[in-house]
Amino acid sequence: MSLSRFFRSTGVRFTLLYVVLYLLSNAILLGALYLTETARLDEDLRVRVDSRVESLVSQYRLGGVTALVDDIAMRTRNQIKLRTFYRLTDARGRLVAGSLPPFPKEESWRTARVESGKEGREPATVLLRTVHLAGGEWLTVGMEPVQHEAIDRLFASAGIGVLLATLLLGVSIGALLSTGFLRRVDRMTSAVEDIMRGHMDRRVESRRSGDELDRLAASLNAMLDRIDFLMTEMREVTNSVAHDLRTPLSRLRRRLEEARQASLGNADADRALDLAAVECEGVLDTFNAILRIAQVEGTASAASFGVVDLSELVATFDDAYRPLAEEEGRPFDVTPGEKIAVRGDRELLTQLVSNLLDNALKHTPPATPLRLALERQAGAVRLVVEDRGPGIPEAARKKVFDRFFRLEASRTAPGNGLGLSLVAAIARLHGANVALEDAAPGLRAVLTFRK
Amino acid sequence: MKILVVEDDGDTLSYVTRGLGQLGHTVDAVADGREGCDRAMRGIYDVIVLDRMLPELDGVSILKNIRVAGIKAPVLFLTAIDGINDRVAGLDAGADDYLVKPFAFSELAARVHALGRRPALTNVETVLKVADLEMDLRRHMVKRDGKVVELQPREFKLLEYLMRNAGQVVTRTMLLEHVWDFHFDPRTKIIETHMSRLRSKIESGTGVPLIHTVRGAGYSLHEPE
């Protein structure tokens, strides 16, 4: 499968869409959680800074600057994990205690990056509060939001986990879809394609589960039944018309024959009778051809099948048609191959080849070269009838197999438009494929027997 | 010739009977299978024309019965176009020739005549002779007026069939069946072209035609009258 076809497959598209949507919704959820959690932590930190400031201020109120300095020193010494930074300056701005750098002298909240004061540690981002004490001193307290880092790490690992889980889930759901639902769609498609290839008895599978696909399958099958019914009915009408009119027609021909035999020697009357007999013969031929096709189409089993030596058959045609080809000045190239045989009905295959050759003779001008060849190709046997005539336009190449279809160019030529229909019916009976190709210039009819 | 016609379609039966009668044959016409079988068993006919579909007893059964009873009279089997297997069944049961309905009377007459001549052919003939045309079947050689005529294998077969039925009319379909094994009529002039080649080979120089075209029926090879 090429890459572009891979991405065009519905299964892959569903999977990708699913993964993207799931990732998006998880990202929104995680983001919202992260925001509320950090807001809560911010608030928490602010409360803790506040309460530290307040306890220091009350120390100052009780014991003045000295008590405050002692308190700060004690706290700095004792702190283990959660680090708090201080700066105390006297009214003249000289540093009395703490390690923080100077800040503008105003009561405020701010965040700043500060050196941690210990070797080998990263500068820390801290939340700071500065207050103006009663004696004119400035006190700044800063706390590191240690829990923020933990939360960031937590959300990062949760994000990766969710990403992996989503991918896993998405791919497995995609696979499930492809193997289940979509495979059913695939099977329906292949059934429909089969029907289009002429297997009119194929039907789309249905699971009787009543889901949308089943309803579609049921509708398709009902439609096919209807088409089948109409086609059969039309064919039966044609066949029974052909069958029923044959008896009166053969009587008519008989009467004409009798009238001709009882001729009174009137040349005009004789000619009219002869022409009438020829017309009658033509109609009978058409009816016989219809019935012959019906008979071949109605033959289900291969009861009459035997081994048919196609090489010998082709040689017979070489022999039978060569004088005719030579008389018309046509080069006639025949390749019978060697002992190429298939299973089939010899008489029907003879008729098939004859119809193809007759068509080539009838629809190409004299002196047009003809080729009849039998060849083996990749495990298949190909029988080719080719001419260098005007060919058939691509659009009409399928239609010429339809009953009574005749090309505009050949309407005046003798024939009934049934020759290729019989060819198609005989090919179908033999499980062979018949195709018309452009021989550039000319027409190539290829009959392929698969092994 | 004495001919038995067993056919249930009254129109066809009277038409065939009348036609064969006009050609000077004695014809017994029967429309019922059982009676047809009884008549055929008498063994007095030169040719039997037998329809496939008959009331009481069908054509194939009659054939089997009379062959078992040792009746060797040649049988022309009539079949319908939509019964391709009927022909095979008929030939298997012992028919000598078949004809698909509807047919032209000339076709039926030609085949009945060809069948009527058959007993003579069962003698092992090695040389066929018509006027100054000679065919040596063993040496595969044809001479006209003592001079060897070179023929293609299929032309030889064609001429052999004409000579075996010398004096009779052979139709296009009979030639297609016996010479090429084509059991249908390609609407092309393959017979005509083969025939004109054969004619030019055996009639060149002599000026006396032996192969005659019979209008609306076929060909006949016979001595100049």
Short mmCIF file of all heavy atoms in Angstrom, two decimals, chain A residues 310-322 331-337 349-350 352-354 356-357 360 369-375 382-387 444-445 447, chain B residues 182:
data_model
loop_
_atom_site.label_atom_id
_atom_site.label_comp_id
_atom_site.label_asym_id
_atom_site.label_seq_id
_atom_site.Cartn_x
_atom_site.Cartn_y
_atom_site.Cartn_z
N LEU A 310 -6.92 -26.29 -28.62
CA LEU A 310 -7.10 -24.99 -29.27
C LEU A 310 -6.12 -24.80 -30.44
O LEU A 310 -6.45 -24.15 -31.42
CB LEU A 310 -6.93 -23.86 -28.26
CG LEU A 310 -8.06 -23.65 -27.25
CD1 LEU A 310 -7.74 -22.48 -26.35
CD2 LEU A 310 -9.39 -23.40 -27.96
N SER A 311 -4.94 -25.38 -30.30
CA SER A 311 -3.96 -25.25 -31.39
C SER A 311 -4.52 -25.86 -32.67
O SER A 311 -4.40 -25.29 -33.75
CB SER A 311 -2.66 -25.96 -31.01
OG SER A 311 -2.09 -25.33 -29.89
N GLU A 312 -5.13 -27.01 -32.51
CA GLU A 312 -5.70 -27.69 -33.67
C GLU A 312 -6.89 -26.88 -34.23
O GLU A 312 -7.05 -26.74 -35.44
CB GLU A 312 -6.16 -29.09 -33.23
CG GLU A 312 -6.64 -29.97 -34.36
CD GLU A 312 -8.00 -30.54 -34.07
OE1 GLU A 312 -8.15 -31.22 -33.04
OE2 GLU A 312 -8.92 -30.28 -34.87
N LEU A 313 -7.66 -26.31 -33.29
CA LEU A 313 -8.80 -25.50 -33.70
C LEU A 313 -8.34 -24.28 -34.52
O LEU A 313 -8.89 -23.97 -35.58
CB LEU A 313 -9.55 -25.03 -32.45
CG LEU A 313 -10.91 -24.39 -32.67
CD1 LEU A 313 -11.90 -25.42 -33.16
CD2 LEU A 313 -11.42 -23.77 -31.38
N VAL A 314 -7.29 -23.64 -34.03
CA VAL A 314 -6.76 -22.47 -34.73
C VAL A 314 -6.23 -22.88 -36.10
O VAL A 314 -6.43 -22.18 -37.10
CB VAL A 314 -5.66 -21.79 -33.87
CG1 VAL A 314 -4.86 -20.79 -34.70
CG2 VAL A 314 -6.30 -21.09 -32.68
N ALA A 315 -5.59 -24.06 -36.17
CA ALA A 315 -5.08 -24.55 -37.46
C ALA A 315 -6.23 -24.78 -38.43
O ALA A 315 -6.12 -24.49 -39.63
CB ALA A 315 -4.29 -25.83 -37.25
N THR A 316 -7.36 -25.29 -37.92
CA THR A 316 -8.53 -25.50 -38.77
C THR A 316 -9.02 -24.17 -39.34
O THR A 316 -9.39 -24.07 -40.52
CB THR A 316 -9.68 -26.15 -37.96
OG1 THR A 316 -9.17 -27.31 -37.32
CG2 THR A 316 -10.84 -26.52 -38.86
N PHE A 317 -9.01 -23.14 -38.50
CA PHE A 317 -9.45 -21.83 -38.97
C PHE A 317 -8.48 -21.26 -39.99
O PHE A 317 -8.90 -20.61 -40.96
CB PHE A 317 -9.62 -20.86 -37.80
CG PHE A 317 -10.96 -20.97 -37.16
CD1 PHE A 317 -11.14 -21.68 -35.98
CD2 PHE A 317 -12.08 -20.39 -37.75
CE1 PHE A 317 -12.38 -21.81 -35.41
CE2 PHE A 317 -13.33 -20.51 -37.18
CZ PHE A 317 -13.49 -21.23 -36.02
N ASP A 318 -7.20 -21.51 -39.78
CA ASP A 318 -6.19 -21.09 -40.74
C ASP A 318 -6.56 -21.65 -42.10
O ASP A 318 -6.66 -20.93 -43.10
CB ASP A 318 -4.83 -21.64 -40.28
CG ASP A 318 -3.69 -21.17 -41.16
OD1 ASP A 318 -3.95 -20.35 -42.07
OD2 ASP A 318 -2.55 -21.61 -40.95
N ASP A 319 -6.83 -22.94 -42.09
CA ASP A 319 -7.18 -23.66 -43.29
C ASP A 319 -8.50 -23.18 -43.92
O ASP A 319 -8.58 -22.95 -45.12
CB ASP A 319 -7.29 -25.13 -42.86
CG ASP A 319 -7.61 -26.03 -44.00
OD1 ASP A 319 -8.80 -26.11 -44.36
OD2 ASP A 319 -6.68 -26.62 -44.52
N ALA A 320 -9.51 -22.99 -43.06
CA ALA A 320 -10.84 -22.64 -43.57
C ALA A 320 -10.89 -21.21 -44.12
O ALA A 320 -11.56 -20.95 -45.10
CB ALA A 320 -11.87 -22.82 -42.47
N TYR A 321 -10.18 -20.29 -43.47
CA TYR A 321 -10.33 -18.89 -43.83
C TYR A 321 -9.25 -18.36 -44.78
O TYR A 321 -9.37 -17.27 -45.31
CB TYR A 321 -10.37 -18.01 -42.56
CG TYR A 321 -11.74 -18.01 -41.92
CD1 TYR A 321 -12.18 -19.12 -41.20
CD2 TYR A 321 -12.61 -16.93 -42.05
CE1 TYR A 321 -13.44 -19.14 -40.62
CE2 TYR A 321 -13.87 -16.95 -41.49
CZ TYR A 321 -14.27 -18.05 -40.77
OH TYR A 321 -15.52 -18.08 -40.21
N ARG A 322 -8.17 -19.13 -44.97
CA ARG A 322 -7.06 -18.61 -45.78
C ARG A 322 -7.48 -18.27 -47.22
O ARG A 322 -7.18 -17.16 -47.69
CB ARG A 322 -5.86 -19.56 -45.76
CG ARG A 322 -4.63 -18.96 -46.41
CD ARG A 322 -3.36 -19.64 -46.00
NE ARG A 322 -3.06 -19.47 -44.58
CZ ARG A 322 -2.56 -18.37 -44.05
NH1 ARG A 322 -2.30 -17.32 -44.81
NH2 ARG A 322 -2.32 -18.29 -42.76
N PRO A 331 -3.41 -10.04 -45.80
CA PRO A 331 -2.41 -10.88 -45.13
C PRO A 331 -3.08 -11.54 -43.93
O PRO A 331 -3.81 -10.87 -43.19
CB PRO A 331 -1.35 -9.87 -44.68
CG PRO A 331 -1.62 -8.63 -45.47
CD PRO A 331 -3.08 -8.63 -45.78
N PHE A 332 -2.89 -12.86 -43.76
CA PHE A 332 -3.56 -13.58 -42.67
C PHE A 332 -2.48 -14.30 -41.89
O PHE A 332 -1.94 -15.31 -42.33
CB PHE A 332 -4.56 -14.57 -43.30
CG PHE A 332 -5.43 -15.29 -42.29
CD1 PHE A 332 -5.86 -14.68 -41.12
CD2 PHE A 332 -5.86 -16.59 -42.55
CE1 PHE A 332 -6.69 -15.35 -40.22
CE2 PHE A 332 -6.68 -17.27 -41.66
CZ PHE A 332 -7.09 -16.64 -40.49
N ASP A 333 -2.18 -13.76 -40.72
CA ASP A 333 -1.07 -14.28 -39.92
C ASP A 333 -1.65 -15.17 -38.82
O ASP A 333 -2.39 -14.70 -37.95
CB ASP A 333 -0.31 -13.08 -39.34
CG ASP A 333 0.75 -13.50 -38.34
OD1 ASP A 333 1.18 -14.67 -38.41
OD2 ASP A 333 1.16 -12.66 -37.52
N VAL A 334 -1.30 -16.46 -38.87
CA VAL A 334 -1.86 -17.39 -37.87
C VAL A 334 -0.75 -18.05 -37.07
O VAL A 334 0.20 -18.57 -37.62
CB VAL A 334 -2.71 -18.48 -38.57
CG1 VAL A 334 -3.28 -19.44 -37.53
CG2 VAL A 334 -3.84 -17.85 -39.36
N THR A 335 -0.87 -17.97 -35.74
CA THR A 335 0.07 -18.63 -34.84
C THR A 335 -0.71 -19.64 -33.99
O THR A 335 -1.36 -19.24 -33.03
CB THR A 335 0.74 -17.60 -33.91
OG1 THR A 335 1.06 -16.45 -34.68
CG2 THR A 335 1.98 -18.17 -33.27
N PRO A 336 -0.69 -20.92 -34.36
CA PRO A 336 -1.51 -21.87 -33.60
C PRO A 336 -0.89 -22.34 -32.30
O PRO A 336 -1.55 -22.96 -31.48
CB PRO A 336 -1.68 -23.05 -34.57
CG PRO A 336 -0.62 -22.90 -35.58
CD PRO A 336 -0.01 -21.53 -35.49
N GLY A 337 0.39 -22.01 -32.07
CA GLY A 337 1.04 -22.50 -30.85
C GLY A 337 1.17 -24.00 -30.92
O GLY A 337 0.89 -24.62 -31.95
N LEU A 349 -16.64 -23.20 -28.73
CA LEU A 349 -15.40 -22.44 -28.92
C LEU A 349 -15.15 -22.20 -30.40
O LEU A 349 -14.66 -21.14 -30.79
CB LEU A 349 -14.22 -23.17 -28.27
CG LEU A 349 -14.25 -23.16 -26.73
CD1 LEU A 349 -13.13 -24.02 -26.16
CD2 LEU A 349 -14.12 -21.73 -26.21
N THR A 350 -15.51 -23.17 -31.23
CA THR A 350 -15.38 -22.98 -32.67
C THR A 350 -16.25 -21.82 -33.12
O THR A 350 -15.83 -20.94 -33.87
CB THR A 350 -15.82 -24.26 -33.42
OG1 THR A 350 -15.15 -25.38 -32.86
CG2 THR A 350 -15.49 -24.17 -34.89
N LEU A 352 -17.26 -19.37 -31.31
CA LEU A 352 -16.71 -18.13 -30.76
C LEU A 352 -15.63 -17.56 -31.69
O LEU A 352 -15.66 -16.40 -32.07
CB LEU A 352 -16.14 -18.40 -29.36
CG LEU A 352 -15.55 -17.24 -28.58
CD1 LEU A 352 -15.73 -17.49 -27.09
CD2 LEU A 352 -14.09 -17.03 -28.86
N VAL A 353 -14.66 -18.42 -32.04
CA VAL A 353 -13.57 -17.95 -32.91
C VAL A 353 -14.13 -17.51 -34.26
O VAL A 353 -13.74 -16.48 -34.81
CB VAL A 353 -12.51 -19.07 -33.10
CG1 VAL A 353 -11.41 -18.60 -34.04
CG2 VAL A 353 -11.93 -19.49 -31.77
N SER A 354 -15.09 -18.28 -34.76
CA SER A 354 -15.69 -17.95 -36.05
C SER A 354 -16.37 -16.58 -36.00
O SER A 354 -16.21 -15.77 -36.91
CB SER A 354 -16.70 -19.04 -36.41
OG SER A 354 -17.51 -18.61 -37.47
N LEU A 356 -15.66 -14.06 -34.06
CA LEU A 356 -14.65 -13.00 -33.99
C LEU A 356 -14.01 -12.77 -35.36
O LEU A 356 -13.82 -11.63 -35.79
CB LEU A 356 -13.57 -13.35 -32.95
CG LEU A 356 -14.02 -13.32 -31.49
CD1 LEU A 356 -12.89 -13.78 -30.57
CD2 LEU A 356 -14.48 -11.93 -31.07
N LEU A 357 -13.70 -13.87 -36.05
CA LEU A 357 -13.09 -13.73 -37.38
C LEU A 357 -14.07 -13.12 -38.38
O LEU A 357 -13.71 -12.25 -39.17
CB LEU A 357 -12.64 -15.11 -37.89
CG LEU A 357 -11.24 -15.56 -37.48
CD1 LEU A 357 -10.98 -16.97 -38.01
CD2 LEU A 357 -10.18 -14.61 -38.02
N ALA A 360 -14.21 -9.46 -37.93
CA ALA A 360 -13.04 -8.79 -38.49
C ALA A 360 -13.16 -8.70 -40.00
O ALA A 360 -12.85 -7.67 -40.61
CB ALA A 360 -11.77 -9.54 -38.09
N PRO A 369 -5.00 -6.41 -42.98
CA PRO A 369 -4.39 -7.63 -42.42
C PRO A 369 -5.17 -8.16 -41.22
O PRO A 369 -5.77 -7.41 -40.45
CB PRO A 369 -3.01 -7.15 -41.97
CG PRO A 369 -2.78 -5.86 -42.67
CD PRO A 369 -4.12 -5.26 -42.91
N LEU A 370 -5.15 -9.50 -41.10
CA LEU A 370 -5.80 -10.17 -39.96
C LEU A 370 -4.76 -11.01 -39.24
O LEU A 370 -3.83 -11.51 -39.86
CB LEU A 370 -6.91 -11.10 -40.44
CG LEU A 370 -8.14 -10.51 -41.08
CD1 LEU A 370 -9.13 -11.64 -41.39
CD2 LEU A 370 -8.79 -9.52 -40.15
N ARG A 371 -4.96 -11.17 -37.96
CA ARG A 371 -4.06 -12.02 -37.20
C ARG A 371 -4.88 -12.89 -36.25
O ARG A 371 -5.80 -12.41 -35.60
CB ARG A 371 -3.09 -11.17 -36.38
CG ARG A 371 -1.96 -11.95 -35.73
CD ARG A 371 -0.88 -10.99 -35.22
NE ARG A 371 -1.23 -10.44 -33.93
CZ ARG A 371 -0.89 -11.01 -32.77
NH1 ARG A 371 -0.21 -12.12 -32.76
NH2 ARG A 371 -1.23 -10.45 -31.63
N LEU A 372 -4.54 -14.18 -36.23
CA LEU A 372 -5.18 -15.11 -35.29
C LEU A 372 -4.05 -15.80 -34.57
O LEU A 372 -3.20 -16.43 -35.20
CB LEU A 372 -6.04 -16.12 -36.07
CG LEU A 372 -6.62 -17.30 -35.28
CD1 LEU A 372 -7.58 -16.83 -34.21
CD2 LEU A 372 -7.33 -18.27 -36.22
N ALA A 373 -4.00 -15.64 -33.25
CA ALA A 373 -2.86 -16.21 -32.53
C ALA A 373 -3.30 -16.86 -31.23
O ALA A 373 -4.25 -16.42 -30.59
CB ALA A 373 -1.83 -15.12 -32.25
N LEU A 374 -2.58 -17.90 -30.87
CA LEU A 374 -2.82 -18.57 -29.61
C LEU A 374 -1.49 -18.52 -28.86
O LEU A 374 -0.45 -18.88 -29.41
CB LEU A 374 -3.22 -20.03 -29.89
CG LEU A 374 -3.74 -20.82 -28.71
CD1 LEU A 374 -5.03 -20.21 -28.19
CD2 LEU A 374 -3.99 -22.26 -29.14
N GLU A 375 -1.52 -18.00 -27.66
CA GLU A 375 -0.26 -17.89 -26.93
C GLU A 375 -0.46 -18.19 -25.46
O GLU A 375 -1.54 -18.01 -24.90
CB GLU A 375 0.32 -16.48 -27.13
CG GLU A 375 -0.69 -15.38 -27.00
CD GLU A 375 -0.25 -14.07 -27.66
OE1 GLU A 375 0.24 -14.11 -28.81
OE2 GLU A 375 -0.38 -13.04 -27.02
N ARG A 382 -4.02 -17.26 -24.07
CA ARG A 382 -4.66 -16.12 -24.74
C ARG A 382 -4.93 -16.44 -26.20
O ARG A 382 -4.04 -16.91 -26.90
CB ARG A 382 -3.73 -14.89 -24.69
CG ARG A 382 -3.82 -14.08 -23.43
CD ARG A 382 -2.59 -13.20 -23.29
NE ARG A 382 -2.31 -12.44 -24.51
CZ ARG A 382 -2.59 -11.15 -24.67
NH1 ARG A 382 -3.19 -10.49 -23.71
NH2 ARG A 382 -2.28 -10.53 -25.78
N LEU A 383 -6.17 -16.22 -26.60
CA LEU A 383 -6.50 -16.38 -28.01
C LEU A 383 -6.78 -14.97 -28.55
O LEU A 383 -7.62 -14.25 -28.00
CB LEU A 383 -7.73 -17.27 -28.16
CG LEU A 383 -8.02 -17.71 -29.59
CD1 LEU A 383 -8.40 -19.18 -29.59
CD2 LEU A 383 -9.12 -16.91 -30.23
N VAL A 384 -6.04 -14.60 -29.57
CA VAL A 384 -6.10 -13.22 -30.06
C VAL A 384 -6.60 -13.18 -31.49
O VAL A 384 -6.10 -13.91 -32.35
CB VAL A 384 -4.71 -12.56 -29.98
CG1 VAL A 384 -4.77 -11.13 -30.47
CG2 VAL A 384 -4.16 -12.62 -28.57
N VAL A 385 -7.61 -12.35 -31.74
CA VAL A 385 -8.04 -12.08 -33.11
C VAL A 385 -7.88 -10.59 -33.33
O VAL A 385 -8.49 -9.78 -32.63
CB VAL A 385 -9.52 -12.50 -33.33
CG1 VAL A 385 -9.95 -12.15 -34.75
CG2 VAL A 385 -9.70 -13.98 -33.08
N GLU A 386 -7.01 -10.24 -34.28
CA GLU A 386 -6.65 -8.83 -34.42
C GLU A 386 -6.78 -8.39 -35.87
O GLU A 386 -6.48 -9.14 -36.78
CB GLU A 386 -5.20 -8.69 -33.94
CG GLU A 386 -4.70 -7.27 -33.86
CD GLU A 386 -3.24 -7.26 -33.39
OE1 GLU A 386 -2.95 -7.82 -32.33
OE2 GLU A 386 -2.41 -6.70 -34.12
N ASP A 387 -7.27 -7.17 -36.05
CA ASP A 387 -7.29 -6.63 -37.40
C ASP A 387 -6.66 -5.25 -37.41
O ASP A 387 -6.41 -4.67 -36.36
CB ASP A 387 -8.73 -6.58 -37.95
CG ASP A 387 -9.59 -5.60 -37.18
OD1 ASP A 387 -9.25 -4.40 -37.14
OD2 ASP A 387 -10.62 -6.02 -36.62
N ARG A 444 -8.32 -5.46 -31.38
CA ARG A 444 -7.79 -6.73 -30.93
C ARG A 444 -8.77 -7.32 -29.93
O ARG A 444 -9.09 -6.71 -28.92
CB ARG A 444 -6.43 -6.52 -30.27
CG ARG A 444 -5.75 -7.83 -29.87
CD ARG A 444 -4.51 -7.59 -29.03
NE ARG A 444 -3.58 -6.70 -29.70
CZ ARG A 444 -3.12 -5.58 -29.18
NH1 ARG A 444 -3.49 -5.19 -27.99
NH2 ARG A 444 -2.30 -4.81 -29.86
N ALA A 445 -9.28 -8.50 -30.27
CA ALA A 445 -10.15 -9.22 -29.34
C ALA A 445 -9.29 -10.27 -28.66
O ALA A 445 -8.60 -11.04 -29.32
CB ALA A 445 -11.30 -9.87 -30.08
N LEU A 447 -9.20 -13.33 -25.84
CA LEU A 447 -9.93 -14.26 -24.99
C LEU A 447 -8.90 -14.89 -24.06
O LEU A 447 -7.94 -15.50 -24.52
CB LEU A 447 -10.60 -15.32 -25.86
CG LEU A 447 -11.44 -16.36 -25.14
CD1 LEU A 447 -12.75 -15.74 -24.69
CD2 LEU A 447 -11.73 -17.53 -26.06
N PHE B 182 -17.62 -27.84 -38.61
CA PHE B 182 -18.29 -26.62 -38.13
C PHE B 182 -19.78 -26.90 -38.08
O PHE B 182 -20.42 -27.11 -39.11
CB PHE B 182 -18.05 -25.46 -39.12
CG PHE B 182 -16.69 -24.82 -39.02
CD1 PHE B 182 -15.73 -25.32 -38.16
CD2 PHE B 182 -16.39 -23.70 -39.78
CE1 PHE B 182 -14.47 -24.73 -38.07
CE2 PHE B 182 -15.14 -23.11 -39.70
CZ PHE B 182 -14.18 -23.62 -38.86
#
